[in-house]
Each structure stands twice: as C-alpha cells, then as structure tokens.
Amino acid sequence: YESAWLKLHYPAEFLAGLLNAQPMGFYSPHTLVRDARRHGVLTRGPDVNASRRDCTLEPRRVDDPGGLLGQPRGGSGRRGWHADPSPLAVRLGLRYVRNLGDTLLERIETERERAPFVDMEDFTRRTGAPTPVLEALATAGAFRECFGIGRREALWAAGALRDARPDRLPGLVQGLEAPCLPGMSEAEELAADLWSLGLSPGRHPTELVRDRLDELGVVTAEVLRGIPHGRLVEVAGVVTHRQRPETAGGVTFLNLEDETGLVNVICVQGIWKRYQRIVRTRNLLVIKGVVERQGQVINLMAGVIRPLSAVVGTATPIPVTPSRDFR
C-alpha cells in the first residue's frame, strides 16, 4: 500500500528511488522508466554537468514534452496517465552509462564541484576519462545538452581526445571539429540509448512500427483492456519476462511490453512446444490469442506466435533490451 501511495502521489520521486536501488526487483530499469513515462513522468538522459552519480530530480521546463506539468490524463488519446503529473523530472545518473566505474564517477563529481565542465576537452583533461568512456558518454548523449554536441559529433571528438591528458598542455588536440554528419534516425537513437544505458528515456521499439501494426489490426496493451472476454486479438511487443513456475503444470508465462503498457501472455505446453524456437530466441513478438478476463486481471491465451520482423516486413533490426527469463 505504501509503495502504491508513493507511486500515485510522488511518481517522479518513486521512479528515482527505484532506479537508485537497482539491481533489485522483478522489472528492469527500462520497464520502470517506460511505466513512469505512461504516468506523466519525464526522464532526462545523462549529462556530464547536470547528472550526479545517482538519479536526481529537476523541475520541469516549459519546453519539456507536456510542459511544466507533463502529460495530462487522456492527452495522448490513451487511458492510464497520472491525474496530476509530477512537476519534477528524473535526471539519469551517470552510473547508468556503461564503462563508468566508481573511481571515475567520484573523480567526475570532485571536478564538477570545483567548476562546471566547459567542453569535451576540458572534461577529458580534468577527469582523465579514457576513450571507451568518452564513446559511451557520447553515445548516451551526455554532451548534447551541456555542450550542444550531437551524438555523432561527440563520437568523432572522442577519438581525437585520446591525447587530452592531465599532464599535457591544453589546446593542442587536433581534429575535434567533426565534418557535417547526418543526425541519427529514431531507430539509431534507440539503439544508442539501449547500448549505452540499458534503457531508453525516449522512444519505445514498437513505436517505430506502430503505423504498420495498426494497418494489420494489431492492438496495443491499452486497447486490450477494453476488449471483451473471449475475443480473438493480436498484440505485439518486447518480451520482458519468460516464467515457468514449478506449480504451473508446464504453463509458461510471458510479459509483452509496448509503448502503452504490459500484456500478460499464457502459453500452454502445446503452444510452447510448437513455437519454442521462436518464443525462446526472439524478443520482439506478435501473438494472436484469446482474451481471458478474471475481474480486473486480463490475460491473453496464446494461439499463434510470430517474430515481429516477419509480420511488419522490416529488414532493419529493431533494438530491444534483454528479457529476464526463468527467475
């Protein structure tokens, strides 16, 4: 009850607390961030000047998506948004960026307390961050807000900054200015977030193909909540969990996540055996099944399981987070 009360009345604080307590619990940081977003909480990416080691809270800005109070209930055309979205945003901590160890995180904190970093060379020289760390920060967009450097430009500069060390004179690094580079596509930014952070504060993988899924009649998790018991439907999403409890008599439970929520999927033994190769190895699935309603609980009894790429006909891989299986 206390957790539910905090999530309702202090959703940004609740998310920050959960992220700072990781690793823990059943759900991954990516799923926690997506759920908070659906309840009106904005999550900002890491920033070498604004982020601390752990996740922190910041005031919402007028130019944020949804303005100062976030997304009001029903403003997106979907149900389930928080009735009074938080006026605070969650800033991801630098510990979520891959390749950053405790020693370097402490050094970044110490140097930033002395004075904010003024550019990538200043950051590199004062912290001694090696090239793999610079590349991870660049991929995560941690230089974009503070220095106005896009991800591709920052990756270019990261290679040139290998010679920017504390024991060398400043201003001697050559090749920092990148040529005119194309911006990243939505799929590329999503892949960059998942590789560097393990989560995406921006787009969800299913949003990239939602137009095609709508054409095929594949419903979202939000729409599924209003479909009557016994109806045959198709859903699509990222597999977040695969579970087979010892007491379930061989039944396997899946969780599918799309941009609107989570779907509980039940695979009886026969369906699991028939689609085992697909359902165990693919993390983006389209599942046709029968809606089963028990009070407020909605499940989908799986009947046909296909990889999403085969359904939407995309040749470009869609990046996803790993699932948490059989725990």
Side-chain angles (χ1 to χ4, degrees), residues 101-117:
D102 290 338
T103 301
L104 182 56
L105 287 168
E106 291 175 6
R107 195 181 309 139
I108 292 172
E109 291 269 9
T110 301
E111 288 296 324
R112 188 175 45 220
E113 288 176 2
R114 288 175 47 209
F117 302 111

Side-chain angles (χ1 to χ4, degrees), residues 269-285:
Q269 278 186 316
I271 295 298
W272 179 265
K273 290 180 180 178
R274 183 183 306 170
Y275 297 103
Q276 183 172 1
R277 182 180 59 83
I278 296 172
V279 78
R280 287 186 68 100
T281 61
R282 301 295 187 94
N283 269 11
L284 271 170
L285 299 175

